[in-house]
PDB file of all heavy atoms in Angstrom:
ATOM      1  N   LEU A  28     130.861 128.180 -44.074  1.00 98.00           N
ATOM      2  CA  LEU A  28     132.114 128.371 -44.765  1.00 98.00           C
ATOM      3  C   LEU A  28     132.818 127.024 -45.157  1.00 98.00           C
ATOM      4  O   LEU A  28     132.878 126.155 -44.129  1.00 98.00           O
ATOM      5  CB  LEU A  28     133.014 129.311 -44.173  1.00 98.00           C
ATOM      6  CG  LEU A  28     132.471 130.843 -43.983  1.00 98.00           C
ATOM      7  CD1 LEU A  28     133.642 131.773 -43.399  1.00 98.00           C
ATOM      8  CD2 LEU A  28     131.887 131.306 -45.154  1.00 98.00           C
ATOM      9  N   LEU A  85     133.438 118.973 -26.493  1.00 96.00           N
ATOM     10  CA  LEU A  85     132.432 118.970 -25.497  1.00 96.00           C
ATOM     11  C   LEU A  85     132.467 117.674 -24.766  1.00 96.00           C
ATOM     12  O   LEU A  85     131.667 117.620 -23.722  1.00 96.00           O
ATOM     13  CB  LEU A  85     131.100 119.237 -26.274  1.00 96.00           C
ATOM     14  CG  LEU A  85     130.916 120.550 -27.050  1.00 96.00           C
ATOM     15  CD1 LEU A  85     129.593 120.504 -27.551  1.00 96.00           C
ATOM     16  CD2 LEU A  85     131.165 121.714 -26.083  1.00 96.00           C
ATOM     17  N   ALA A  93     140.104 115.165 -31.603  1.00 97.00           N
ATOM     18  CA  ALA A  93     141.149 116.157 -31.600  1.00 97.00           C
ATOM     19  C   ALA A  93     142.540 115.769 -31.615  1.00 97.00           C
ATOM     20  O   ALA A  93     143.426 116.310 -32.305  1.00 97.00           O
ATOM     21  CB  ALA A  93     140.795 117.118 -30.356  1.00 97.00           C
ATOM     22  N   GLY A 294     128.663 137.301 -45.583  1.00 96.00           N
ATOM     23  CA  GLY A 294     127.517 137.999 -46.184  1.00 96.00           C
ATOM     24  C   GLY A 294     126.907 139.230 -45.390  1.00 96.00           C
ATOM     25  O   GLY A 294     125.735 139.591 -45.699  1.00 96.00           O
ATOM     26  N   ARG A 295     127.637 139.694 -44.442  1.00 94.00           N
ATOM     27  CA  ARG A 295     127.195 140.816 -43.648  1.00 94.00           C
ATOM     28  C   ARG A 295     128.356 141.450 -43.121  1.00 94.00           C
ATOM     29  O   ARG A 295     129.399 140.887 -42.808  1.00 94.00           O
ATOM     30  CB  ARG A 295     126.212 140.437 -42.486  1.00 94.00           C
ATOM     31  CG  ARG A 295     126.921 139.731 -41.377  1.00 94.00           C
ATOM     32  CD  ARG A 295     125.888 139.344 -40.302  1.00 94.00           C
ATOM     33  NE  ARG A 295     126.535 138.661 -39.206  1.00 94.00           N
ATOM     34  CZ  ARG A 295     126.829 139.292 -38.066  1.00 94.00           C
ATOM     35  NH1 ARG A 295     126.569 140.677 -37.904  1.00 94.00           N
ATOM     36  NH2 ARG A 295     127.412 138.532 -37.015  1.00 94.00           N
TER      37      ARG A 295
END
Side-chain angles (χ1 to χ4, degrees):
L28 304 184
L85 301 182
R295 70 180 182 97

